[in-house]
Amino acid sequence: MKISAEALHKCEPLFGVYVGSMTSVVAFQRRLFGSGMLPKDLTSETLRVLSSYQIDRSQGTYCLLVNGLVWDAEIVLRTVYETFAKVTLIASSSAAERDQLVHEYWNELSDIYDRKAASKAAAAQRLATDYDPKSVRVFAALQDPKSFNLEVKANKLARSRIEQRWSFSGILHRLSRDDSKMAPIGPDALSHIYGMASHVAHASSRALELMQDRQLRGSDLVDLEVGHVCRMLSDAVSLLCFGLYWVDRCFMGANEMHEDLRTAFDQIHAATAPHQDAFDRSQDELYDGQK
């Protein structure tokens, strides 16, 4: 389901602002990790690859938006939220906690994923034996203990707790309860938009209701469509700016967001705010009537 041609046309200047903002963000990320001032360890490398992954998913969101595919963009943007949470969790933790988190991320979580993948591959192998014999070796390889760690190192409850800690909701819960000076403010507020994107990803009834709502709109449809794009463009840039701010603070001791990140953040918000305000005004009668 694509947005209207009129809405897409109104968004074209915003796409240009997004590209300019992202150019600054990407340049900052490359300078930060290529400066030679960061420690060469697993923590810095983990934050480097995670922030790079977040950049790529942000650009993937943009590619869908320029084609008017807003619901598909929501699904990819959900990954930007996921990555931002992991970057912020690691970067805002103490040095001792960072080491523990990175070890858990690469080792304990990886072992859990190996065991789950092997279990699922076994079921696929059984089916492939009768219907796709050429694929049997692929599924068998995923169960090879020489390549994957399939030993049980923790009971089911312990494994479940590890996975929950690294889920989006688990990370937000931990960040929200952190009362240290390094803790980000109000991370639990991200759960609403993430939850709506999850409905789209999971094809829930709520997702279909959202799409049906577009069909029932009247004169406010274009404002709604443009506002939707604005929110996603703003999120894609903002989450990168804040994630990289925490990385900069973690390693370089920065107390304020770097000027390059702040400029990118301000540019995308200045460009999108008028359109979001226009949609808000189009809803005044609706909300005034609810008072």
Side-chain angles (χ1 to χ4, degrees), residues 54 57-58 61 76-84 236 239:
Q54 188 179 349
R57 302 292 75 75
S58 172
T61 300
V76 179
L77 184 61
R78 180 173 177 264
T79 312
V80 175
Y81 271 77
E82 291 260 11
T83 317
F84 166 77
L239 292 174

Side-chain angles (χ1 to χ4, degrees), residues 205-224:
S205 59
R206 179 58 57 85
L208 300 184
E209 289 170 357
L210 287 170
M211 295 177 192
Q212 183 183 36
D213 175 72
R214 297 294 169 93
Q215 302 296 324
L216 300 176
R217 291 281 176 168
S219 59
D220 62 345
L221 175 62
V222 172
D223 285 334
L224 170 58

Side-chain angles (χ1 to χ4, degrees), residues 40-100:
K40 295 296 183 180
D41 57 22
L42 187 58
T43 297
S44 65
E45 182 62 10
T46 300
L47 290 171
R48 184 189 69 81
V49 296
L50 280 174
S51 60
S52 295
Y53 186 86
Q54 188 179 349
I55 287 170
D56 289 344
R57 302 292 75 75
S58 172
Q59 293 172 335
T61 300
Y62 163 75
C63 289
L64 290 166
L65 288 176
V66 296
N67 286 287
L69 299 168
V70 291
W71 302 113
D72 306 84
E74 283 283 15
I75 296 172
V76 179
L77 184 61
R78 180 173 177 264
T79 312
V80 175
Y81 271 77
E82 291 260 11
T83 317
F84 166 77
K86 291 177 174 63
V87 168
T88 305
L89 173 65
I90 295 171
S92 66
S93 298
S94 66
E97 289 176 321
R98 287 198 297 271
D99 291 340
Q100 180 182 352

Side-chain angles (χ1 to χ4, degrees), residues 17 72 109 151 157 167 174 177 179 215 223 239 243 275:
V17 176
D72 306 84
L109 267 180
E151 295 183 7
L157 179 59
S167 69
R174 173 166 174 164
R177 295 186 64 184
D179 57 0
Q215 302 296 324
D223 285 334
L239 292 174
H275 297 284

Side-chain angles (χ1 to χ4, degrees), residues 19 22 27 41 45 71 77 96 101 124 126 134 136 153 157 164 168 177 195 205 210 214 222 235 239 244 252 262:
V19 171
M22 282 297 294
D41 57 22
E45 182 62 10
W71 302 113
L77 184 61
L101 286 168
R126 289 192 293 272
K134 292 182 180 180
V136 169
K153 293 185 178 181
L157 179 59
Q164 175 57 29
F168 186 75
R177 295 186 64 184
S205 59
L210 287 170
R214 297 294 169 93
V222 172
D235 284 358
L239 292 174
L244 288 170
M252 310 301 290
R262 171 59 66 181

